[in-house]
């Protein structure tokens, strides 16, 4: 479902979701989570969509929570219900991104701050514009990193570097994000969306079920022991080996031709 503030366009098996509040650097008020969740749900269900790209309109990827829409800060000791808000909006969004068994690529076109950084981290891969920056921002305003940042960031760059980024809220350049593997690729600003879409389109031509099961398995591997994972891999392999794409992949190999995967 496309709306003015969450725009969706599809081509070559890739759904591109654009966060479209450029005047606020694509900062979100809470209700926009529902619209983004709807767009993701639709892309997940649509068999023609085999990969997703998420990007921002204008000069930012996303500046996190819309601080101007945060409402009155209550007197000390009273709750403003941020826990409930996170559990009902941000958390389901992050879990959905991780459970969609299709590649999701963030085209980080500019600054990714606060929950905008977290959103990029929850995607599978990040293609960043050379002008893009990443800042955790939360500690700077007296909050803690949320939306999965405390889960994904230590995994990607280690606890020490993650803590340093959190405590300083300093801005990390795209180039500096490349070396530790926080971003997959850094490209000129003008080609960041096309670059992410090309990467997504290449994945969309892949053996879709196997790609999705691989995402599921890798996520599981983050919290499982080796024995459990070996067993889980065997289960996933059984599922993959029953697909049309597996038959096509082996036939293409034997016939020395490129495979024509359908995602089935
Ligand atoms: O609700 C909850 O449960 C809490 C959850 C919180 C999750 C979070 O995301 S907390 C972290 C929130 N985000 C931030 O703290 C980042 C705030 N923004 C910035 O630090 C800077 O704007 C940037 C580093 C992102 C970019 O700096 P710069 O110099 O390039 O741009 P700017 O001039 O600061 O911003 C341009 C406009 O965007 C400006 O509007 P104006 O004054 O021209 O009308 C600015 O106010 C607006 N903007 C930027 N970030 C936000 C924002 N408006 C609302 N909310 C924002 N987060």
């Amino acid at each position: 479902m496309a709306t003015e503030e969450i725009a969706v366009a599809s081509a070559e098996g890739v759904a591109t979701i654009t966060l479209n509040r450029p005047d606020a650097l694509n900062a979100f008020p809470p209700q926009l989570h529902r619209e983004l969740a709807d767009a993701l749900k639709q892309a997940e269900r649509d068999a023609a969509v085999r990969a997703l790209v998420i990007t921002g309109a204008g000069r930012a990827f996303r500046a996190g929570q819309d601080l101007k829409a945060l409402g009155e800060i209550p007197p000390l000791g009273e709750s403003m219900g941020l826990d409930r808000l996170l559990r009902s909006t941000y958390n389901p969004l992050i879990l959905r991104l991780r459970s969609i068994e299709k590649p999701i690529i963030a085209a980080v076109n500019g600054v990714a701050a606060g929950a905008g950084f977290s959103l990029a981290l929850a995607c599978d891969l990040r293609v960043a514009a050379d002008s893009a920056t990443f800042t955790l921002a939360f500690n700077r305003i007296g909050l803690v990193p949320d939306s999965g940042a405390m889960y994904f960031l230590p995994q990607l760059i280690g606890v020490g570097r993650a803590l340093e980024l959190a405590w300083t809220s300093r801005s990390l350049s795209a180039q500096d994000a490349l070396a530790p593997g926080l971003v997959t690729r850094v490209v000129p600003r003008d080609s960041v969306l096309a670059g992410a879409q090309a990467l997504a389109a290449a994945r969309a031509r892949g053996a879709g079920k196997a790609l999705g099961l691989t995402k599921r398995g890798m996520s599981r591997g983050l919290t499982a022991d080796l024995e459990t994972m070996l067993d889980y891999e065997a289960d996933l392999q059984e599922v993959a080996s029953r697909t049309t794409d597996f038959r096509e992949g082996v036939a293409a190999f034997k016939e020395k031709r490129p495979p024509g995967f359908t995602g089935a």
Side-chain angles (χ1 to χ4, degrees):
M1 190 183 81
T3 67
E4 232 169 73
E5 294 182 317
I6 301 291
V8 184
S10 292
E12 292 186 75
V14 177
T16 299
I17 298 177
T18 303
L19 316 177
N20 189 28
R21 298 186 81 222
D23 291 346
L25 303 187
N26 304 315
F28 267 31
Q31 64 272 21
L32 262 196
H33 279 90
R34 180 175 295 276
E35 292 184 18
L36 180 54
D38 286 347
L40 289 169
K41 206 179 298 174
Q42 188 146 329
E44 182 177 22
R45 288 180 183 159
D46 186 347
V49 171
R50 292 168 64 183
L52 287 80
V53 168
I54 300 179
T55 194
R59 72 178 175 91
F61 178 69
R62 185 184 165 200
Q65 162 75 15
D66 186 337
L67 295 175
K68 293 172 186 164
L70 202 55
E72 277 299 304
I73 308 288
L76 260 187
E78 281 181 30
S79 165
M80 70 183 291
L82 291 187
D83 54 348
R84 279 197 311 278
L85 185 69
L86 285 171
R87 289 193 176 101
S88 63
T89 54
Y90 290 80
N91 296 4
L93 171 69
I94 299 302
L95 290 173
R96 181 172 292 282
L97 287 165
R98 297 314 310 146
S99 68
I100 293 176
E101 294 193 349
K102 300 179 182 186
I104 304 179
I105 297 172
V108 186
N109 52 301
V111 61
F117 191 173
S118 311
L119 175 67
L121 290 171
C123 294
D124 300 316
L125 302 176
R126 287 151 289 283
V127 175
D130 49 10
S131 56
T133 55
F134 298 83
T135 170
L136 274 181
F138 300 89
N139 279 182
R140 191 172 56 203
I141 58 167
L143 290 180
V144 301
D146 64 23
S147 309
M150 292 205 264
Y151 179 81
F152 298 116
L153 201 56
Q155 278 166 8
L156 283 166
I157 64 172
V159 175
R161 280 193 284 205
L163 269 176
E164 192 265 335
L165 285 183
W167 285 341
T168 61
S169 293
R170 77 177 169 89
S171 189
L172 185 72
S173 71
Q175 204 57 47
D176 286 345
L178 187 60
L182 204 152
V183 303
T184 314
R185 203 174 281 179
V186 178
V187 297
R189 166 69 184 91
D190 289 350
S191 49
V192 64
L193 181 56
Q197 285 171 328
L199 196 63
R203 296 292 77 76
R205 290 190 292 274
K209 189 79 184 167
L211 267 58
L213 293 172
T214 302
K215 174 171 173 175
R216 194 200 300 179
M218 296 259 189
S219 296
R220 179 82 186 270
L222 293 173
T223 53
D225 58 37
L226 176 61
E227 205 175 344
T228 306
M229 268 320 283
L230 289 169
D231 201 45
Y232 196 55
E233 285 170 355
D235 285 344
L236 296 178
Q237 202 66 293
E238 175 59 24
V239 177
S241 68
R242 292 176 186 225
T243 61
T244 306
D245 279 347
F246 170 59
R247 276 145 192 83
E248 168 61 8
V250 174
F253 173 76
K254 288 181 179 166
E255 292 159 23
K256 297 188 186 298
R257 60 168 175 82
F261 293 124
T262 61

